[in-house]
Amino acid sequence: MDMNYEIEQIHLSRIHFDIIHRMGSLLFMFCATTEKIEESSENIQWYKEGDSRRDNKDRMKESGRMLNGYRDNLEELMIIGISKAVEDLIFEYDDTFDVKVNFWNNLKRFEFYHEMTIIRNLNNCIKHSKGILKRGEKGNDYLIDEIGFTEGEKVKNLHIDIVDYLLKSFLFQMDVYWKSQKKDNPYLKYKNDSKKLKKILIPDFINDKKPRE
């Protein structure tokens, strides 16, 4: 067998694993952190007997502000992470096969490219405009004019469906991976089955709790 072919297949296998690893890590992080935030919200001692009404009110306001801040920051971090995952895939093709890929020019034919342009532009908004949709930045103009987001809106207030975008990013990357080899993307058959996609990214055994001794 051709040694070069074998080496290429090893590299491709690594890229395939990296896609699953990156997106699985993001999904696990988002779900686990969200669960912890909600658990904290339920367990906060909003009212403490013996404290003044003012102290209780201040504590409630501060606790609510902190929890909302955690949720907002988590959402922005996930947008950055999803965007970076696409950038990492592009880098891998460049670094491994010396294939120059431009996201904006070369990847339009792949499934869920549209959703990834939204994520990439939201990421740029977070990085360059402090997460505020201000005109003057090309990406912000696109989000306002083409997607319909409100000018002056904060990314954290858009409350996009992070899990949906994360799963579509996984499918997009796999589309690039398989179709660049002139093969069908086997994961696309699950594009309407989020439960199955989540199981691919986070196997059941990860969620199995080890019994306490």
Side-chain angles (χ1 to χ4, degrees):
M1 184 178 286
D2 186 353
M3 184 61 71
N4 288 332
Y5 175 80
E6 287 189 348
I7 293 173
E8 180 181 282
Q9 292 306 302
I10 291 171
H11 287 318
L12 285 169
S13 178
R14 177 178 55 79
I15 290 173
H16 183 273
F17 173 80
D18 284 348
I19 294 171
I20 295 176
H21 173 71
R22 280 194 296 265
M23 303 318 295
S25 298
L26 285 172
L27 180 61
F28 185 82
M29 232 186 330
F30 180 73
C31 293
T33 307
T34 298
E35 182 179 343
K36 190 62 180 178
I37 291 172
E38 298 313 313
E39 179 186 315
S40 298
S41 178
E42 292 173 4
N43 294 330
I44 282 180
Q45 187 177 8
W46 297 100
Y47 176 81
K48 188 174 181 181
E49 193 171 349
D51 282 359
S52 68
R53 180 183 177 187
R54 178 71 180 185
D55 287 342
N56 276 311
K57 185 176 181 181
D58 288 346
R59 182 170 55 254
M60 289 172 65
K61 288 171 63 176
E62 183 61 23
S63 298
R65 185 160 47 242
M66 289 176 66
L67 288 170
N68 286 332
Y70 296 158
R71 293 186 185 98
D72 293 342
N73 288 332
L74 177 61
E75 190 165 310
E76 287 196 349
L77 288 171
M78 286 299 110
I79 290 170
I80 294 169
I82 295 169
S83 179
K84 181 180 180 298
V86 175
E87 293 171 13
D88 287 347
L89 177 65
I90 293 171
F91 174 82
E92 282 185 311
Y93 274 95
D94 184 3
D95 186 56
T96 304
F97 300 113
D98 196 26
V99 175
K100 301 295 182 184
V101 179
N102 182 287
F103 173 83
W104 308 104
N105 297 329
N106 306 133
L107 302 181
K108 294 180 180 179
R109 66 187 178 94
F110 297 105
E111 195 82 14
F112 298 117
Y113 173 80
H114 173 71
E115 286 80 2
M116 292 308 98
T117 62
I118 294 174
I119 284 291
R120 294 293 303 275
N121 282 309
L122 286 173
N123 173 63
N124 289 336
C125 179
I126 293 168
K127 287 170 33 178
H128 304 302
S129 305
K130 295 186 69 175
I132 303 173
L133 292 168
K134 295 180 179 179
R135 286 196 178 275
E137 290 280 349
K138 185 177 180 180
N140 290 349
D141 291 343
Y142 168 82
L143 292 170
I144 295 166
D145 295 331
E146 302 298 325
I147 305 304
F149 292 150
T150 304
E151 182 180 358
E153 186 67 273
K154 294 181 179 179
V155 171
K156 66 181 182 180
N157 292 334
L158 296 174
H159 299 302
I160 66 171
D161 188 335
I162 291 295
V163 173
D164 183 62
Y165 275 96
L166 195 152
L167 297 179
K168 286 176 179 174
S169 178
F170 168 70
L171 292 172
F172 168 78
Q173 292 176 65
M174 282 301 183
D175 219 42
V176 174
Y177 173 81
W178 287 103
K179 289 180 180 174
S180 64
Q181 302 175 65
K182 297 182 171 26
K183 297 178 182 179
D184 291 335
N185 177 2
Y187 296 100
L188 277 183
K189 62 187 175 185
Y190 303 122
K191 67 180 181 180
N192 295 318
D193 189 349
S194 61
K195 187 175 181 180
K196 176 64 177 179
L197 289 173
K198 289 175 186 177
K199 281 194 173 184
I200 292 170
L201 294 177
I202 306 178
D204 286 339
F205 66 83
I206 299 261
N207 289 318
D208 289 342
K209 294 183 178 179
K210 182 179 178 181
R212 293 184 180 179
E213 298 179 358

